[in-house]
């Protein structure tokens, strides 16, 4: 349990930085529609920015745009639940060669 608390604290430190606040705001402005990894939320507004490769696996990707995707709260909760239960969710974001930022935009341009 102590290890989880330490990981959580480290993640919260990153998420409380000005750098993260600016980057996540930029992502939501640039990609305002949910990436819709499950194909069932349509054009919901993206309220969250998700790390495709989680911070607990690689903190060096915390501010890497290609590791970020915008999600609505419902999709983000579902992705996080899968991550907590099974570990890896990168497959949800890799149905083309593009992932992250590019994929958020690409997913909506084709619809």
């Amino acid at each position: 349990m102590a290890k989880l608390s330490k990981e959580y604290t480290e993640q919260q430190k990153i998420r409380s930085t000005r750098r993260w606040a600016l980057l996540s705001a930029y992502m939501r402005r640039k990609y305002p529609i949910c990436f819709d990894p499950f194909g069932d939320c349509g054009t919901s507004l993206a309220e969250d920015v998700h790390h495709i490769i989680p911070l607990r696996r690689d903190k060096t990707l915390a501010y890497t745009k290609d590791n970020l995707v915008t999600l609505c709260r419902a999709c983000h909760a579902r992705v996080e639940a899968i991550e907590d239960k099974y570990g890896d969710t990168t497959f949800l974001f890799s149905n083309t060669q593009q992932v992250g930022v590019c994929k958020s935009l690409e997913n909506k341009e084709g619809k």
Side-chain angles (χ1 to χ4, degrees):
M1 180 86 166
K3 186 174 193 266
L4 275 178
S5 295
K6 183 181 177 189
E7 284 177 2
Y8 180 77
T9 301
E10 289 176 18
Q11 292 169 23
Q12 287 306 105
K13 281 182 187 176
I14 290 168
R15 289 186 179 106
S16 67
T17 64
R18 177 169 165 69
R19 183 177 178 188
W20 175 252
L22 292 171
L23 179 58
S24 62
Y26 163 81
M27 290 292 295
R28 288 189 307 276
R29 271 192 319 275
K30 186 152 177 93
Y31 307 101
I33 304 299
C34 178
F35 173 77
D36 193 9
F38 304 101
D40 61 1
C41 90
T43 57
S44 297
L45 195 60
E47 300 172 86
D48 296 334
V49 179
H50 176 71
H51 290 90
I52 297 169
I53 297 172
L55 292 174
R56 66 177 157 253
R57 276 190 30 210
D58 191 347
K59 286 184 275 307
T60 66
L61 298 175
Y63 306 105
T64 303
K65 290 178 188 172
D66 286 342
N67 187 46
L68 302 174
V69 65
T70 55
L71 298 172
C72 67
R73 292 265 157 86
C75 285
H76 199 201
R78 288 170 69 187
V79 169
E80 293 285 327
I82 292 168
E83 217 167 68
D84 289 345
K85 189 169 184 176
Y86 300 106
D88 186 31
T89 58
T90 56
F91 67 93
L92 292 170
F93 307 101
S94 62
N95 61 3
T96 71
Q97 292 181 353
Q98 298 284 335
V99 294
V101 168
C102 300
K103 191 149 173 26
S104 287
L105 182 60
E106 171 190 309
N107 200 30
K108 296 308 169 192
E109 285 180 342
K111 287 186 177 179

